[in-house]
Amino acid sequence: MLTIKHLKIKGFETIVVGKDRSAGLHAIIAIHSIQRGPSLGGIRMWPYEHEKAALQDALRLATAMTKKAAISGLPIGGGKAVIIGDPEKEKTRILLLSMGELIESLQGKYIGAKDSGILPEDLDVVSDQTRHVTGTTGKRGGSGDPSLATAKGVLAGMQAACQVVYGRNNLQDRVVAIQGVGHVGWNLGNLLYKKGAKLFVADLNPERADRARRSWKATVAPLSKIHQMPVDVFAPCALGGVLNVKTIPQLRTKIVAGGANNQCLDEEQDPYHLMKRGILHVPDYVLNAGGLIHLVVREILHQRGVAPWINNIERTVQRVLSVALEQQLPPMVVADRMAREKLGAKHEIFP
Ligand code: NAD
C-alpha cells in the first residue's frame, strides 16, 4: 500500500515522500513553483545512498525547472521526482504503477516526464495510473523521448558560446569532451560528429563509451579525467555537481556547455570560481531547455512547431553571455536575474 508523507520546506509549494513496501517504491516529488502553471519535470531513478541525498537532488532539480520554464517563456512551473533505486535492477512494473499513483495524488499540480534512469516505455506504465505524465511513447499518444530536442538546444547554445570565446560559431574541428553518453550525451555527440567536431567521451557504462568510440572515432577518457582533457568545450551530460572546488581548478577548457542539470555543486560560489579562471560556463538550465520545450509545446500547448523555440535557446544564451561580459558577472547570475524577472513577483528561491 502506498503511504504519503508531506514535508514542509521554505520556498517550495509541496513536497511528498511516497513509500510502498510491496512495490519497492521509495520516491520524492518536489514541487517548487506553480506560479506560471502546473509544475513539470522529469522522474529520475538513481541509487541514492539515503533519502536525504535524494531529497536534496529533488529540491535542486525542481528549482532549476522553475528557472528553466521561466527563462524559456513556458507557461508552467517547476517540479521534479526522484525514485531511490537502481534502474538496471530495481525498476519493475509495480514500482512504476505505484509511482503513477503518487503522481495522481497531486491532482495535476505535478506532471511527470523522463529523466535519467527512466524511459518513455516506463512512462507508458506510469500513465496507467495517472494522465499527468508527458513523454510517453506514440502508442500512448505521447511525444516520446525529448533527448534529441535537448541535445539540439545544447548544440545551439554551444555555438553561441564558441562565437563569443573563439570568434566563430562553426564547430568544425572543435574538440569537445562529453561526460556521459546516455540519451542527451549520445544525441549531442551525433550532432557534434556530423558538424566535424573531435570528441573525447567517458561513461560509467563502458559499453556506451565504446559505442561512442566506434561511431565517432572518439577517444575514451578515464571517468576521473574527462573534465581534465585539453579541449575547446567541456560538455557535462551525466549527473549534477561536476563543477566544484576540486574539479574547477583542473579544467582545461575555456567553455563549459552541457546538458546535465545542476552542474555547479555550490550554485552560489562555483559560478564565480569559474569566472575567475576565465571559463565561460553556459547556465545549464538555459542550455538544456530543449527537452522541456519539446514536451510543453507538443503535449501541453498542442503545437507542432518546436524548432523556433529551440532556436530561441541560442538567442537567450547570446543575451545572457553578452550581459555577463558587459557587467563582469557569471552567466549563471545573469540567467537567474532574467528568470526572476520573468517570474514577475518576488520569489523566495532566488538568492
Ligand atoms: P541518461 O541516464 O540516459 O544518461 C546519463 C549517462 O551518464 C549514462 O550513460 C550514465 O552511465 C552516465 N554517467 C552517470 N554518471 C557518470 C559519471 N560520473 N561519469 C560519466 N558518465 C556518467 O540520462 P539523460 O536523459 O541523458 O540525462 C543526462 C543529464 O541531462 C541529466 O542530468 C538530466 O537531468 C539532464 N537533462 C536531460 C534531459 C533529457 O531530455 N533527457 C533534458 C534536460 C536535462
Side-chain angles (χ1 to χ4, degrees), residues 21-41:
R21 195 184 287 264
S22 58
L25 182 79
H26 185 179
I28 300 168
I29 299 177
I31 299 178
H32 177 255
S33 169
I34 52 170
Q35 195 174 316
R36 290 173 65 89
S39 72
L40 194 153

Side-chain angles (χ1 to χ4, degrees), residues 174-222:
R174 284 269 163 251
V175 186
V176 181
I178 308 179
Q179 182 182 47
V181 277
H183 287 82
V184 176
W186 176 255
N187 281 298
L188 179 65
N190 270 333
L191 296 171
L192 284 166
Y193 179 66
K194 286 185 198 141
K195 295 258 176 210
K198 308 269 180 282
L199 301 170
F200 284 94
V201 297
D203 198 294
L204 275 184
N205 180 327
E207 284 165 26
R208 288 185 196 154
D210 195 53
R211 183 176 64 152
R213 181 188 61 76
R214 283 183 276 110
S215 307
W216 314 322
K217 302 188 194 72
T219 305
V220 178

Side-chain angles (χ1 to χ4, degrees), residues 144-179:
D145 181 8
S147 306
L148 176 59
T150 303
K152 284 182 178 170
V154 173
L155 186 87
M158 194 183 279
Q159 284 173 328
C162 283
Q163 177 70 48
V164 169
V165 173
Y166 302 118
R168 68 175 174 97
N169 68 2
N170 192 322
L171 293 165
Q172 175 79 38
D173 293 327
R174 284 269 163 251
V175 186
V176 181
I178 308 179
Q179 182 182 47

Side-chain angles (χ1 to χ4, degrees), residues 237-303:
C237 293
L239 297 189
V242 294
L243 303 173
N244 52 55
V245 284
K246 183 169 166 244
T247 59
I248 291 171
Q250 297 171 333
L251 292 172
R252 291 162 75 194
T253 181
K254 289 189 172 154
I255 298 175
V256 177
N261 280 308
N262 301 107
Q263 293 166 17
C264 289
L265 187 62
D266 180 336
E267 288 177 338
E268 284 191 24
Q269 293 305 318
D270 290 335
Y272 285 94
H273 295 148
L274 285 156
M275 190 174 77
K276 276 194 197 120
R277 279 220 52 213
I279 296 168
L280 195 70
H281 177 219
V282 186
D284 38 37
Y285 66 82
V286 181
L287 200 58
N288 70 15
L292 177 68
I293 288 170
H294 168 95
L295 294 172
V296 174
V297 171
R298 296 281 300 276
E299 298 191 38
I300 296 193
L301 301 177
H302 301 291
Q303 295 171 9

